[in-house]
């Protein structure tokens, strides 16, 4: 349903597909084996004008929407999930500045991200605070004209490739999540070190590192928005915008695995005919294709809501993340099954799709957290439903209470 996209979004899609086919697919297996950062792809993305498209034009970007970002991530991930996140994580790292930076901070950092000259990472998670992001312990204390940061971050995607880091710190531990502030730290700042690189199951070309801060003095002007205590809301609003990107990565991975499953089953002969000619295979492929399309449309819909500033966008961002990433896991696993023994070995690319897909259910908020976000939104909506449904109750059962009030026996 490509034609439902606007001309501008289709242009981004076309360009991204071109980069994916010429610069990503030929090296995807090699990147997976070596774990090398996809610098040649970053160069190709810069040449194609695709880096930092989400940055407002005033700061050198293209003011592209989350939907545009999603189609680019989808196309890249169809060829390699690692490359998809290497690109998308720059949006995750820079949305906090776009959303909450002062004019001076936007002028200072965003133009470099818009051109791809500098990559940026997002430092929220810690060893002891993953899903419960509000419990983070990294401290920042004001000392004259600087913030002094002490603590450690975990799961920092793009870790050693980035040169800018949005780091969430507690500046007022007595205030819980309301005491969290976001501070931009530049690589090379004394007291800031990139730590251990994680040995991951998938997305192996993207370096995921620990970050260490030891009496790290950062200029006071690096406090995002110039105001303390706004970090947690900033991180949540950032994740609302970024989660459709993870969902798009999942759609791309699922589509990539389906592409391979279709090619393999149409070429593979068993019992004197192609595996695809068996109706059971066609039914499985039909389910995979249908689920992918449903996921894609939910991702695009959620992205549109975000671009339009819809008040319920947070719920839809969570919905598309949960749905698309679960679809990606099912579809990539099914693709491995269709390849039989060949699917389980590294001679074919489908096992990589399955490994890459797994992380999409985990990062940027585990799917259990997405369900929590959706559940909380539904809880709020339930209050409005009580009066709406009352009309129907009166029609079907005049005088009856729809539900026994609390404390009363039905
Ligand atoms: N937008 C703006 N503000 C929001 C918000 C949103 N979507 N959601 C919550 N807030 C605000 C609330 O209004 C509240 O503000 P006040 O204190 O002023 O009232 C405040 O944030 C706290 O809200 P909650 O009480 O709802 O917070 P909580 O502690 O219950 O946590 C949560 C909510 C949804 C579980 C949140 O902690 C969460 O999203 N956890 C997952 C974190 C996550 O996704 N981490 C991934 C990091 S990135 C990564 O994976 C690595 C990488 O590099 C890719």
């Amino acid at each position: 349903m490509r034609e439902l996209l606007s001309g501008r979004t289709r242009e981004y899609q076309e360009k991204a597909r071109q980069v994916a086919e010429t610069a990503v697919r030929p090296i995807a297996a090699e990147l997976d084996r070596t774990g090398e950062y996809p610098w040649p792809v970053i160069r190709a993305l810069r040449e194609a004008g695709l880096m930092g498209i989400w940055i407002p034009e005033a700061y050198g970007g293209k003011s592209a929407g989350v939907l545009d970002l999603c189609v680019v991530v989808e196309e890249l991930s169809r060829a390699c999930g690692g490359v998809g996140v290497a690109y998308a994580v720059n949006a995750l790292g820079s949305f906090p500045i776009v959303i909450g930076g002062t004019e001076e901070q936007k002028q200072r950092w965003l133009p470099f991200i818009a051109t791809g000259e500098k990559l940026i990472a997002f430092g929220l998670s810690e060893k002891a605070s993953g899903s419960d992001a509000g419990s983070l312990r990294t401290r920042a204390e004001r000392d004259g004209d600087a913030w002094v940061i002490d603590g450690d971050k975990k799961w920092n995607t793009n870790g050693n490739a980035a040169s800018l880091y949005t780091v969430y710190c507690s500046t007022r531990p007595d205030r819980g999540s309301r005491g969290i502030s976001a501070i931009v730290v530049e690589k090379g700042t004394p007291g800031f070190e990139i730590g251990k690189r994680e040995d991951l199951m998938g997305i192996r070309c993207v370096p995921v590192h620990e970050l260490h801060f030891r009496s790290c003095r950062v200029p006071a002007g690096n406090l995002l928005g110039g105001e303390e205590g706004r970090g947690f809301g900033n991180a949540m609003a950032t994740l609302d915008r970024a989660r459709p990107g993870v969902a798009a990565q999942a759609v791309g991975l699922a589509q990539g695995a389906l592409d391979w499953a279709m090619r393999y089953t149409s070429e593979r002969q068993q019992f004197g005919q192609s595996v695809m000619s068996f109706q059971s295979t066609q039914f499985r492929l039909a389910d995979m294709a249908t689920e992918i399309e449903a996921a894609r449309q939910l991702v695009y819909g959620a992205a549109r809501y975000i671009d339009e500033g819809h008040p319920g966008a947070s719920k839809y961002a969570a919905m598309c993340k949960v749905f698309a990433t679960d679809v990606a896991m099912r579809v990539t696993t099914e693709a491995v099954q269709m390849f039989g023994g060949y699917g389980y070995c590294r001679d074919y690319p489908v096992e990589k799709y399955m490994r890459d897909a797994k992380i999409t259910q985990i990062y940027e908020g585990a799917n259990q957290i997405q369900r929590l976000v959706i559940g909380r939104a539904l809880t709020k909506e339930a209050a409005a439903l009580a009066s709406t449904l009352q009309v129907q109750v009166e029609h079907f059962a005049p005088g009856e209470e729809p539900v026994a009030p609390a404390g009363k026996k039905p």
Side-chain angles (χ1 to χ4, degrees):
M1 291 193 231
R2 190 172 172 273
E3 48 289 338
L4 294 177
L5 299 173
S6 72
R8 183 179 86 150
T9 304
R10 267 148 64 175
E11 248 176 63
Y12 283 126
Q13 191 182 44
E14 262 320 306
K15 281 187 185 172
R17 189 166 296 175
Q18 182 96 15
V19 172
E21 295 310 322
T22 57
V24 182
R25 212 182 276 283
I27 61 168
E30 182 68 9
L31 292 175
D32 182 53
R33 258 193 305 274
T34 61
E36 274 171 29
Y37 194 77
W39 290 115
V41 180
I42 300 293
R43 277 194 291 279
L45 286 164
R46 287 182 70 177
E47 279 162 23
L50 289 172
M51 287 305 287
I53 55 170
W54 57 89
I55 305 286
E57 278 179 44
Y59 310 105
K62 300 207 165 54
S63 297
V66 171
L67 178 58
D68 300 316
L69 168 69
C70 284
V71 299
V72 174
V73 175
E74 179 186 337
E75 291 303 324
L76 296 176
S77 305
R78 189 173 177 175
C80 173
V83 165
V85 66
Y87 173 79
V89 81
N90 291 288
L92 177 69
S94 57
F95 280 152
I97 306 174
V98 174
I99 294 168
T102 61
E103 185 56 31
E104 186 276 324
Q105 290 170 337
K106 290 178 185 177
Q107 300 274 6
R108 182 147 48 116
W109 292 308
L110 295 180
F112 295 103
I113 298 155
T115 57
E117 208 172 317
K118 288 189 179 175
L119 304 182
I120 184 162
F122 180 78
L124 177 67
S125 301
E126 299 179 1
K127 269 187 187 162
S129 94
S131 293
D132 183 9
S135 68
L136 63 83
R137 292 201 197 137
T138 294
R139 281 281 281 128
E141 273 184 85
R142 187 69 188 254
D143 181 24
D145 59 356
W147 286 98
V148 182
I149 307 179
D150 276 285
D152 306 281
K153 291 289 170 185
K154 188 88 181 159
W155 312 123
N156 196 262
T157 309
N158 248 7
N160 69 352
S163 27
L164 292 171
Y165 303 79
T166 304
V167 181
Y168 293 87
C169 310
S170 175
T171 50
R172 289 283 305 271
D174 55 312
R175 301 193 65 200
S177 65
R178 289 182 178 174
I180 292 174
S181 308
I183 300 177
V184 175
V185 181
E186 303 193 9
K187 194 184 233 164
T189 306
F192 168 40
E193 275 189 19
I194 313 280
K196 174 186 124 187
R197 178 174 175 166
E198 309 295 345
D199 190 5
L200 302 178
M201 173 196 279
I203 59 162
R204 291 187 61 82
C205 65
V206 192
V208 175
H209 282 264
E210 291 180 352
L211 307 181
H212 306 300
F213 302 90
R214 298 288 175 268
S215 302
C216 174
R217 287 182 76 85
V218 177
N222 288 21
L223 175 76
L224 265 194
E227 223 180 300
E228 280 181 69
R230 304 181 73 151
F232 194 72
N234 174 279
M236 293 299 110
T238 292
L239 287 163
D240 284 346
R241 280 187 180 208
R243 283 172 179 157
V246 178
Q249 185 197 3
V251 170
L253 281 164
Q255 184 64 55
L258 176 65
D259 294 344
W260 275 103
M262 290 199 298
R263 176 174 159 188
Y264 183 80
T265 55
S266 62
E267 288 174 1
R268 172 92 170 155
Q269 298 282 317
Q270 289 291 282
F271 305 102
Q273 60 192 98
S274 77
V275 172
M276 201 187 213
S277 65
F278 292 108
Q279 199 178 40
S280 66
T281 306
Q282 290 173 23
F283 281 6
R284 288 158 79 193
L285 290 170
D287 284 345
M288 290 156 84
T290 306
E291 286 199 9
I292 293 169
E293 198 52 45
R296 179 178 287 122
Q297 296 311 322
L298 186 55
V299 175
Y300 291 2
R304 282 196 183 96
Y305 270 170
I306 293 162
D307 289 337
E308 288 165 10
H310 189 286
S314 183
K315 179 181 80 174
Y316 290 99
M319 279 179 167
C320 76
K321 202 265 185 188
V322 96
F323 187 76
T325 61
D326 285 353
V327 164
M329 208 56 231
R330 276 199 298 277
V331 167
T332 55
T333 307
E334 184 73 332
V336 168
Q337 186 70 22
M338 284 179 155
F339 270 67
Y342 294 109
Y344 199 64
C345 72
R346 295 195 179 186
D347 290 357
Y348 286 86
V350 280
E351 59 83 32
K352 176 180 179 306
Y353 282 91
M354 186 174 148
R355 285 187 284 113
D356 286 352
K358 184 61 208 169
I359 190 62
T360 65
Q361 292 180 306
I362 299 172
Y363 61 17
E364 291 195 34
N367 280 3
Q368 289 70 23
I369 291 298
Q370 310 307 322
R371 290 184 169 94
L372 183 131
V373 171
I374 300 162
R376 284 182 181 180
L378 294 179
T379 308
K380 284 185 193 151
E381 288 169 26
L385 279 177
S387 58
T388 314
L389 296 188
Q390 187 58 27
V391 175
Q392 209 174 356
V393 167
E394 277 159 17
H395 179 76
F396 281 104
E400 286 291 323
E401 284 283 341
V403 179
K408 250 195 203 175
K409 283 198 177 150

